[in-house]
Amino acid sequence: MTAMTESPTTPRAYSPGLEGVPAAETALGRVDGEAGRLLYRGYRIGDLVARGTYPAVANLLWTGDWDPAHRLSTAPVPDAVMVALRALPATAKPMDALRTAVSVWGATQQLDWPPTAEQARALTAFSPSALAAFARLRQGLEPVDPDPSLDLAAGFLWQLKGSAPDAATARALDAYFIVGAEHGLNASTFTARVITSTRSDLASAVVGAIGALKGPLHGGAPSEVVEQLHQMGSVEHAEAWIRAALDRGERLMGFGHRVYRAYDPRAAALRTVAESMELKPDWLELAIGVEDVALRVLAERHPERALKTNVEYYAASVLQGVGLSPDLFPATFALARHAGWTAHAIEQAGANRLIRPSAIYIGADERDLPG
Ligand code: ACO
């Protein structure tokens, strides 16, 4: 059997999963795993969390301008979307509901190509309302209208719970949204760029991205962090629990990372926000206390490999702390990533080339049909 490429161009070395293959140029997010740095348009993630808001960070990604006063509230859900959400079974996964909502929303809009910052703003403002509406409908509750006086993260909580969050809770979720906004050319962002490269519209790009994020290899499992902390129960019991889990060959959720060898800067930023909460809820005291124990035991068990806290650890704590049920975690991550997906779509369209890699053909040689 002869291996040959589809493409007439010179074949390059095959890299399964495109690992290490540059597939885009970007000025948006820079992920430096060795140094534990994450930059959005050159700005450190820790500084953006400390001094910015999600609307300001999203605007930075879309336009390149840093305006800390930039505001974005959640937007009303069009009737057609509400009809679709009401038709879904209460057992539907929130990610499926969100993907469906974005698709119906796209059908109600005039989304010309190329995608624009205005389109990105509208979609990013719509999706939290849609997810909150579904979360209420599945409980037999009526959706809550957006409150234009609230910024996006606080507005999402308002529509989810029907009561305005306190300032610390809103701040914690806003910080989570900032750290989730962008992370280079991950699978869902690449998906959004591929779809945009065909000159398809922004809603289609985000529908595809949500589909990619839904897979367990990408969307992560912060709910497993919650479960492990729950099983430990207290800081006093943590060390024995951790040692027993590692003896069974299990992994500690929220630690280790494929790219980061240093402390994940997103975890550090979320920890700072969590620690600054005046009244720390029990879940947070537990997470902070257990982290030190976990890092000590992991360093002892794996002296050859830097196993540090990753973003999921404090993401889980923050999401639980703001009162989200664990099955809403992945879709809430998708809400945060809207900024990055849509910014990449705008960037892709700005210097567009249809993304069309080649495949190495490994099938049968040319042959006649039997008979
Ligand atoms: N707990 C215990 N041991 C670990 C952990 C962990 N969290 N992470 C890695 N190790 C150990 C492995 O058992 C392995 O040891 P061994 O060689 O003795 O078998 C060694 O460290 C290297 O592990 P790899 O799997 O090669 O590391 P990799 O870089 O591929 O894994 C991953 C990264 C998948 C994140 C891993 O650290 C892990 O499973 N962590 C727990 C799950 C988690 O927190 N996922 C969220 C990641 S953040 C995100 O995706 C946004």
Side-chain angles (χ1 to χ4, degrees), residues 21-360:
V21 177
E25 288 184 324
T26 184
L28 298 171
R30 180 168 167 208
V31 184
D32 179 349
E34 287 301 323
R37 277 195 311 171
L38 173 62
L39 309 177
Y40 294 172
R41 289 198 182 269
Y43 299 118
R44 286 180 289 276
I45 188 71
D47 293 348
L48 292 168
V49 169
R51 293 170 43 198
T53 62
Y54 180 73
V57 166
N59 189 59
L60 170 72
L61 291 168
W62 294 325
T63 66
D65 299 330
W66 177 240
D67 172 10
H70 189 84
R71 296 206 58 241
L72 184 65
S73 303
T74 56
V77 177
D79 290 346
V81 178
M82 209 56 99
V83 169
L85 291 177
R86 286 184 193 279
L88 293 177
T91 52
K93 287 196 170 72
M95 279 290 258
D96 288 331
L98 181 63
R99 191 194 58 228
T100 302
V102 173
S103 183
V104 179
W105 179 86
T108 69
Q109 309 291 309
Q110 182 68 42
L111 295 172
D112 295 330
W113 200 92
T116 63
E118 283 64 41
Q119 293 177 7
R121 241 178 233 116
L123 178 48
T124 303
F126 155 77
S127 288
S129 301
L131 180 60
F134 173 71
R136 289 182 70 84
L137 287 169
R138 69 176 181 165
Q139 293 176 271
L141 300 169
E142 274 306 297
V144 172
D145 288 336
D147 178 343
S149 73
L150 298 174
D151 248 351
L152 201 91
F156 171 55
L157 290 173
W158 157 252
Q159 287 177 264
L160 200 58
K161 299 178 182 183
S163 59
D166 62 61
T169 302
R171 175 79 194 107
L173 188 63
D174 189 70
Y176 169 78
F177 270 52
I178 294 173
V179 306
E182 156 63 11
H183 208 239
L185 202 61
N186 50 79
S188 59
T189 300
F190 183 52
T191 303
R193 288 190 79 124
V194 170
I195 292 172
T196 302
S197 82
T198 70
R199 295 198 174 198
S200 186
D201 63 278
L202 190 64
S204 299
V206 170
V207 167
I210 294 171
L213 186 67
K214 191 185 157 194
L217 293 188
H218 187 9
S223 52
E224 291 181 45
V225 175
V226 172
E227 178 55 30
Q228 288 195 342
L229 285 172
H230 181 70
Q231 287 180 21
M232 288 176 214
S234 70
V235 180
E236 293 68 47
H237 290 138
E239 181 153 356
W241 191 95
I242 290 168
R243 289 189 185 280
L246 294 179
D247 286 346
R248 291 193 299 271
E250 292 174 12
R251 292 186 174 205
L252 279 189
M253 293 298 144
F255 296 89
H257 197 274
R258 177 58 61 84
V259 179
Y260 290 116
R261 288 291 158 264
Y263 199 105
D264 185 331
R266 300 168 297 173
L270 285 182
R271 176 175 173 152
T272 303
V273 168
E275 282 179 327
S276 70
M277 289 172 83
E278 265 177 41
L279 287 174
K280 292 185 192 55
D282 293 347
W283 54 267
L284 187 53
E285 296 280 11
L286 179 63
I288 292 171
V290 166
E291 182 188 17
D292 293 338
V293 180
L295 288 174
R296 179 163 49 77
V297 177
L298 283 172
E300 183 193 302
R301 292 286 178 109
H302 287 279
E304 80 298 346
R305 187 179 180 86
L307 291 174
K308 305 289 187 198
T309 315
N310 68 47
V311 66
E312 303 285 15
Y313 189 75
Y314 280 106
S317 301
V318 166
L319 293 177
Q320 189 193 26
V322 302
L324 264 59
S325 63
D327 76 336
L328 285 176
F329 291 2
T332 306
F333 180 22
L335 298 182
R337 191 49 65 83
H338 270 50
W341 288 333
T342 51
H344 274 271
I346 294 167
E347 187 179 60
Q348 174 67 35
N352 195 45
R353 173 109 179 122
L354 176 70
I355 297 175
R356 203 308 188 184
S358 56
I360 299 169

